[in-house]
């Protein structure tokens, strides 16, 4: 482990001291896996966990757009999703999915831009609906990237692209904090 990475983890874990350390550390691990090296992201998710009123005050407009009208509705999982989206690491897709919009939005995600991903098959497929995610996932695999869906109670698909090598760690970290991440295509 490099010295810089080690210092980052020490900072992450020291920032989240106190009771419930294992759950806090699991949130820190999930934050680091999905948005490496971004301390402000860790702080946002931590704020949602420890100070719902403070998080609500900071992101009130965005929360209102989601129908959250009071601090009691603040959830760390939603803070994680919204924080990733603000950083171009996640896009939330409507169930009425269109292939060109999916292609355009996925190619704009930071991991795809870093590798100059071009989802040509996705742009020309006749597939529809959720099947488009499977087409995209298949094409992303050629770049050693995977498409994950962060489950939440809604009719949308908050989706991220991560290196294939990190998939199991992201899924496991989410499960440890009581949330669900699924990989496209879903298991049969």
């Amino acid at each position: 482990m490099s010295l810089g990475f080690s210092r980052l983890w020490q900072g992450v874990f020291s920032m989240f001291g106190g009771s419930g350390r294992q759950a806090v550390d699991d949130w820190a691990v999930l934050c680091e896996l999905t948005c490496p090296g971004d301390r402000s992201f860790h702080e946002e998710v931590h704020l949602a966990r420890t100070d719902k009123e403070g998080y609500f005050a900071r992101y009130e407009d965005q929360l209102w757009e989601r129908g959250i009208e009071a601090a009691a509705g603040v959830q760390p999982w939603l803070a994680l999703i919204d924080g990733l989206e603000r950083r171009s690491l996640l896009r939330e897709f409507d169930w009425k999915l269109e292939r060109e919009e999916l292609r355009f939005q996925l190619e704009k995600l930071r991991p795809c831009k870093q590798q100059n991903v071009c989802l040509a098959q996705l742009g020309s497929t006749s597939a529809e609906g959720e099947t488009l995610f499977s087409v995209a996932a298949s094409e992303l695999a050629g770049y050693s990237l995977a498409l994950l869906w962060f489950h939440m109670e809604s009719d949308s698909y908050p989706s991220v692209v991560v290196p294939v090598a990190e998939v199991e760690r992201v899924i496991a970290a989410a499960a440890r904090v009581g949330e669900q991440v699924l990989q496209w295509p879903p298991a049969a």
Side-chain angles (χ1 to χ4, degrees), residues 16 27 31 39-66 68-87 92:
F16 294 111
W27 278 105
C31 287
R39 188 173 178 93
S40 68
F41 176 66
H42 291 263
E43 290 168 355
E44 285 176 26
V45 174
H46 181 68
L47 184 63
R49 292 188 72 251
T50 60
D51 181 7
K52 291 180 181 220
E53 291 82 11
Y55 185 86
F56 184 80
R58 185 178 295 173
Y59 299 104
E60 186 172 1
D61 291 340
Q62 187 173 8
L63 292 167
W64 272 86
E65 289 176 19
R66 286 196 174 276
I68 298 172
E69 301 174 359
V74 170
Q75 301 170 15
W77 187 242
L78 192 55
L80 182 121
I81 288 169
D82 287 345
L84 290 172
E85 189 160 30
R86 280 190 292 276
R87 290 164 176 81
E92 199 166 334

Side-chain angles (χ1 to χ4, degrees), residues 119-131:
L119 301 173
Q121 288 178 331
L122 182 59
S124 63
T125 185
S126 61
E128 296 179 346
E130 288 183 0
T131 307

